[in-house]
Amino acid sequence: MRKYYFLFAVLCSAIVFAQEVSKERVTKVLSALASDKMKGREIGTPENDSAAFYIAQRFQENNLAFCTGDSYLLPFEYKGKVAYNVCGIQKGKSEKILAYSAHFDHIGSTNKNGDNVYNGADDNASGVTLVVGLSDYFKNANPDFSMMYMAFNGEEKGMKGSKALADTQNLQSTFSKISALFNFEMVASVSQFGKNALYMTGDEFSDFDELLNANAENQLKIYPDPYLGQQLFYRSDNVSFVKKKVIAHSLSTVDMNVAKHYHQLNDDVNIVNFDNLTSIINSFGKTIQKLTPENFNPKYNENVNLN
C-alpha cells in the first residue's frame, strides 16, 4: 500500500494547475498603472520608466524567463533617450508560441489646476492588466503552447515600441514560432455586444476568431470589428507583427460611438468595470487552456496587406 501512496504523491507533484485571477489583483494592477503618480505614462518621462519597471516586477513575480538578454526591460531609443518595452516568456509543452501584448504608454499630463493627469485607465492600463492577468493565470501551469507576454511603449507616438521590438534581431527566431498574437487595446468597459464579449480588428483577414470561438469557455465571445471604416487593424501595435507575417489581431471592448473618455482626463479607474475585466481574463485563461498547436493554427487569407 505504501508504494501506491508514493505514486500518488509523485503524480500530484507533477500536476500543475492554472489559477483564476481575483478581482482584487486586477484592481491593484490597473490602479497602480493608472494612478496619478504615473502622470499619464508618457514615453520619455521618468513615470513611463516607472510603469515599465512595475510591469517587469509583475513578470518576475510570475517566474517568466527573459525574452532575450538578462532583463525583462528591452531598451530602444526615443528622441535621444532610452525607453523600454517589457517582455517575458513562459515555456510550455510546445515550441509554438501564443503571444499577448498591450501598450502601456499614454499621453501624460497638463499644467492646468485640478485634475491634470491623463490616467489612461482604459487606454491602455486595462490592456496591460489583461496581459499581466494572463501571466498570473498561467503562473503554475504547464500549457500546451509556450507563452510570450509583451508590454509595448510609444504606441501613442506612432507605435514606436512595438516596431522596435518586432525588429529586435535576437528575437526573430522566437517570433517565427508565434502561432498567434493577441493584442489587447482598451478593454475596461462592457462592450456593445454584452458582458464577456470583445470585438476583433481584421476579422475578415484570418480565421483567428472562428477558431477561438470554437474553443471558447465561460461564454467568451469574439465579434467582428464593427468599425471597418476606421481601419483599426492597421492602426494598432498588432500591425508591427503583421508585417512580420505573424497572425496578430487587436481585441477591444470600447464602443467608439459612445465613449467619451478616449484621450480625455476622465479616463480613470472610475470608468473601469472590474467585474467584467476579471471575467474576461479568466475566460481567456480557460479558453487558452483548451488550445493546442493542432486545434489552433490560424492563417491569413489573401485579403490581408502584409506590407
Side-chain angles (χ1 to χ4, degrees):
M1 181 66 71
R2 188 177 303 167
K3 68 178 181 181
Y4 293 111
Y5 283 126
F6 175 76
L7 178 60
F8 178 76
V10 170
L11 288 172
C12 287
S13 66
I15 299 173
V16 287
F17 298 95
Q19 182 174 355
E20 286 206 5
V21 181
S22 70
K23 178 181 174 181
E24 289 73 23
R25 170 67 167 181
V26 173
T27 302
K28 182 178 180 180
V29 172
L30 195 152
S31 298
L33 290 168
S35 69
D36 284 349
K37 290 181 180 179
M38 291 292 186
K39 295 185 178 179
R41 307 184 305 278
E42 185 173 10
I43 187 173
T45 66
E47 291 79 18
N48 178 275
D49 291 346
S50 294
F53 300 157
Y54 179 84
I55 297 163
Q57 288 170 348
R58 305 291 76 77
F59 287 179
Q60 183 178 36
E61 286 176 352
N62 289 334
N63 302 318
L64 300 184
F66 302 134
C67 290
T68 185
D70 59 0
S71 177
Y72 300 113
L73 300 168
L74 302 184
F76 66 98
E77 184 178 338
Y78 175 75
K79 291 188 175 181
K81 296 182 178 181
V82 175
Y84 300 98
N85 292 306
V86 193
C87 189
I89 199 162
Q90 177 183 4
K91 297 294 290 182
K93 297 173 186 174
S94 168
E95 291 295 312
K96 293 289 186 179
I97 295 170
L98 295 182
Y100 314 102
S101 66
H103 75 89
F104 68 88
D105 65 302
H106 196 50
I107 59 174
S109 59
T110 73
N111 294 322
K112 65 180 287 188
N113 294 326
D115 182 7
N116 63 357
V117 176
Y118 293 94
N119 301 88
D122 194 7
D123 186 15
N124 189 31
S126 65
V128 176
T129 300
L130 207 165
V131 172
V132 171
L134 288 175
S135 74
D136 290 342
Y137 187 95
F138 287 105
K139 177 180 180 179
N140 296 315
N142 184 24
D144 285 287
F145 281 98
S146 294
M147 308 286 195
M148 192 172 193
Y149 303 91
M150 296 180 285
F152 302 132
N153 205 345
E155 189 270 351
E156 302 287 359
K157 304 296 184 181
M159 299 178 283
K160 302 296 186 185
S162 62
K163 290 176 181 176
L165 189 52
D167 287 338
T168 300
Q169 193 59 42
N170 291 346
L171 287 174
Q172 297 309 304
S173 62
T174 302
F175 295 150
S176 69
K177 299 173 185 175
I178 295 177
S179 293
L181 186 151
F182 300 65
N183 185 59
F184 298 106
E185 178 76 54
M186 299 182 72
V187 290
S189 58
V190 176
S191 80
Q192 61 186 289
F193 303 107
K195 296 179 180 179
N196 230 27
L198 305 91
Y199 61 87
M200 186 183 88
T201 66
D203 63 279
E204 70 273 27
F205 298 139
S206 82
D207 56 351
F208 182 112
D209 52 341
E210 288 92 344
L211 293 174
L212 196 61
N213 284 332
N215 291 282
E217 289 287 323
N218 278 16
Q219 298 180 319
L220 178 72
K221 184 65 181 292
I222 309 301
Y223 287 84
D225 180 3
Y227 312 107
L228 290 179
Q230 298 191 34
Q231 294 287 297
L232 297 176
F233 179 76
Y234 297 108
R235 291 172 51 196
S236 194
D237 286 310
N238 63 288
V239 75
S240 298
F241 288 83
V242 172
K243 292 177 179 179
K244 298 288 183 181
K245 298 182 172 53
V246 173
I247 307 296
H249 292 268
S250 292
L251 298 111
S252 181
T253 64
V254 66
D255 188 337
M256 302 292 286
N257 292 322
V258 301
K260 303 296 184 183
H261 59 273
Y262 177 64
H263 284 190
Q264 300 299 314
L265 291 167
N266 66 333
D267 185 5
D268 56 31
V269 293
N270 294 319
I271 60 93
V272 180
N273 188 314
F274 285 104
D275 288 319
N276 191 60
L277 181 55
T278 303
S279 179
I280 286 174
I281 291 169
N282 289 313
S283 297
F284 263 110
K286 286 180 168 61
T287 299
I288 291 163
Q289 277 184 282
K290 293 175 60 178
L291 302 183
T292 69
E294 290 71 38
N295 69 18
F296 190 70
N297 187 27
K299 303 292 185 184
Y300 283 129
N301 58 41
E302 67 279 1
N303 298 318
V304 69
N305 181 0
L306 298 173
N307 300 314

